[in-house]
Amino acid sequence: MPAIDELAERITSIGFRCTGCSECCRRVADDSNLVIVSPPEIRAIMAATGMTWDETAEPYPEFIDGGDGARYTFAWCIRRRGNTCIFLVDGRCTIYAHRPWICRTYPFMLDGDALLVSECRGLGAPIPEEEARDMARALAERSRAEAVEEAGIRRRFAEAAVPKGRRAVFDSEGMKVLDG
Ligand code: SF4
């Protein structure tokens, strides 16, 4: 992972300012509205909103065939209504203080040392130094959180088998067999 100063410099050279278009919360291209959330993030949103797990999140839609009719996936996404995140209301995020890492760090993400940049109207705009550093710190934290979640998923996947004919999600908390 790059040092925070170096990452902040790269972000500054790219430039970014959120325009509030909320396109990152809606489907504007294939799967562009799939916001992956970890169990700790889901539980934080549940605590803040009083919503249930199922009201908050839906399984990542790409399931892997496990044989005997069993199918599984490795992540949860923020639940969508139609093509839009359910937490987007009148163009604003209603869980802003509790939004997931993906939302906090959009349009950037780290892949090892590489800083990846997604399409966004706000790219290229001047970014204040302190905001670039905040984004760099958030990206580093997001990477660490994702590494912990991935290790948890690998451990849980090794522990359990999906029952015949059922669908399940593996996350760092365990195997969650879905209804129906
Ligand atoms: S949680 Fe908030 S910021 Fe993230 S996609 Fe939904 S409305 Fe947008």
Side-chain angles (χ1 to χ4, degrees):
M1 193 185 305
I4 296 298
D5 284 348
E6 184 197 332
L7 196 48
E9 270 177 37
R10 282 198 244 165
I11 291 166
T12 302
S13 70
I14 295 166
F16 169 66
R17 173 158 290 276
C18 178
T19 67
C21 70
S22 70
E23 284 186 354
C24 52
C25 315
R26 294 181 276 122
R27 180 186 166 94
V28 292
D30 277 355
D31 293 342
S32 70
N33 59 348
L34 285 177
V35 177
I36 292 176
V37 269
S38 66
E41 289 175 317
I42 295 170
R43 295 202 181 280
I45 296 168
M46 289 166 63
T49 61
M51 293 166 70
T52 65
W53 184 289
D54 284 341
E55 288 167 341
T56 306
E58 60 186 47
Y60 186 80
E62 284 179 20
F63 280 78
I64 296 163
D65 186 349
D68 286 333
R71 298 168 70 218
Y72 55 87
T73 190
F74 289 117
W76 297 92
C77 300
I78 290 272
R79 191 164 283 287
R80 296 164 293 171
R81 187 179 298 114
N83 285 329
T84 303
C85 171
I86 56 166
F87 296 111
L88 185 71
V89 177
D90 296 333
R92 300 188 70 84
C93 176
T94 53
I95 54 162
Y96 193 77
H98 307 283
R99 68 199 189 288
W101 281 120
I102 287 184
C103 307
R104 288 172 187 273
T105 52
Y106 195 87
F108 301 105
M109 75 171 280
L110 281 176
D111 182 7
D113 276 354
L115 177 64
L116 307 184
V117 186
S118 300
E119 271 184 51
C120 177
R121 290 172 191 265
L123 288 171
I127 181 168
E129 197 179 319
E130 200 42 49
E131 282 182 32
R133 287 186 64 80
D134 286 347
M135 178 65 86
R137 281 190 283 262
L139 282 164
E141 269 192 73
R142 172 182 165 183
S143 269
R144 282 191 284 273
E146 287 174 346
V148 169
E149 179 62 19
E150 283 166 21
I153 292 169
R154 273 196 294 276
R155 195 173 61 249
R156 298 302 191 171
F157 185 62
E159 285 172 0
V162 184
K164 286 180 187 176
R166 302 298 298 273
R167 294 186 316 150
V169 181
F170 285 96
D171 63 29
S172 58
E173 293 183 350
M175 177 179 70
K176 291 168 180 152
V177 178
L178 302 170
D179 292 335

